[in-house]
Amino acid sequence: MLKEERMLFTIGQFADLHEINKKTLMWYDEIGLLKPACTKENGYRYYSYQQSAALETILMLRELNVSLAEIKLFMEHRTMDSFDCLLRDKIAELSRTISHLKSMRKILSGHQRKIEMLRSLDISAISLVRQQSCRLVSVDVSADTSFEKEVGRVIAETKKYQLHRLHDASYGSMIPVENLLQGKFDEYTALYIEMPYPISEKGLHLRPAGTYLRAFCKGSWDNISDKYKEILAYADKQGLSLYGFAYETGINELVIDSMDEYITQIEIPVQWE
C-alpha cells in the first residue's frame, strides 16, 4: 500500500509532468474523461503513473482536433483495432492538410517572387525568357461571351478542381497569335487557370517549353492593343516568329487599389525565322 501511495502524483505534479494546466485535469475529471486514481478525504485528487499513457493519448487526440465527446467515446471502448482505425483516419486527414499547406506555401512563394520582380520591373522593357512546359486548365470563351459568363465558367472550374479560394491559382487569358497578326487584339479564345498542384493531364492545355517574348502593359485593358502593336514591331525587327498563343495574366492585382496601376504580363512563344 505504501509503495502504491508513493507512485501517486498530486494533481499539480501530474499536470507539471505532462506540461498542462491542472484546471484541464479538473475539467477532464468533471466530464468523466479522466478520473483521478483516488481522491483523499481532504478532497485532493491523486493520479497514478499508469494513467500517464491515457492522458498522453487524450492530449494527442486533442492536438489532432478530435472533440472531447469523440475522445470520451474512444477511451470508453479503447481497443487495438479501434485505435488503429482512428490512427488511419487521422493520418489520412493530416496528409490532406500537409498537401494543402504545401500548396499554400507554393502560392505565397509565388506572390513573394512577383513582389520582388515588381520592385525592379521596367514596364517598358520587352525581353526573351525561357519557360518550362506546364499544363493549364482552359475555359473556352468568345467575343459573344459576357464577362459574367466568363467569371461563372472560371468559378465552376475552380470548384471542379476543389480549390479552396479563387486566388489559390493563377488566372489569365489566351489569344491566338493568328488573331494578333490580323490585328484582332481583343478576340480571346480562352481563359486559363494554372493550378498550384499537379492534376491529371487529360483534357488540359499544354503551354510548351521554350523561348517566350515577355512584355508588360500598365493600366486599363484598353491599352493592350497598343502594346501588342509594339510587340509585333519588336518581333519583326528582331527576326522573331510568334506562334501558339499569347498568355496574359495580371501580376499585381493583390497590391493595388486602382486599375490605373494594374500590370498585365504578356508572354508569347517565339522562334527565330
Side-chain angles (χ1 to χ4, degrees), residues 65-208:
N65 294 320
V66 181
S67 70
L68 289 174
E70 290 177 292
I71 295 174
K72 190 171 185 293
L73 182 63
F74 167 72
M75 296 299 290
E76 290 172 350
H77 304 86
R78 190 165 33 150
T79 66
M80 185 165 57
D81 288 341
S82 65
F83 192 45
D84 181 52
C85 183
L86 180 61
L87 290 176
R88 288 177 185 274
D89 288 344
K90 289 304 168 184
I91 289 171
E93 186 178 311
L94 282 173
S95 295
R96 290 191 294 270
T97 300
I98 290 170
S99 178
H100 173 62
L101 290 175
K102 285 183 176 179
S103 295
M104 288 302 301
R105 180 186 176 92
K106 182 178 179 181
I107 292 165
L108 296 178
S109 296
H111 288 321
Q112 193 171 44
R113 286 193 298 272
K114 285 182 180 179
I115 289 173
E116 292 171 357
M117 181 184 74
L118 288 168
R119 291 186 192 281
S120 58
L121 184 63
D122 181 356
I123 297 294
S124 63
I126 296 178
S127 59
L128 298 177
V129 296
R130 292 288 299 177
Q131 292 286 24
Q132 296 181 338
S133 67
C134 67
R135 296 280 179 174
L136 306 173
V137 177
S138 61
V139 179
D140 292 338
V141 296
S142 68
D144 298 329
T145 308
S146 67
F147 180 74
E148 290 75 12
K149 285 185 178 180
E150 289 179 357
V151 172
R153 289 177 183 178
V154 169
I155 291 174
E157 286 298 312
T158 60
K159 290 182 178 180
K160 176 180 175 181
Y161 290 98
Q162 299 181 335
L163 281 171
H164 290 268
R165 295 175 183 84
L166 189 62
H167 285 285
D168 279 358
S170 296
Y171 296 83
S173 53
M174 297 162 51
I175 181 169
V177 165
E178 60 189 55
N179 287 3
L180 299 180
L181 297 177
Q182 296 172 24
K184 301 174 182 178
F185 302 123
D186 59 353
E187 291 195 12
Y188 298 85
T189 58
L191 303 177
Y192 72 82
I193 308 167
E194 185 175 357
M195 307 298 286
Y197 47 78
I199 57 177
S200 171
E201 295 185 356
K202 185 178 180 181
L204 300 185
H205 170 80
L206 174 64
R207 174 174 165 152

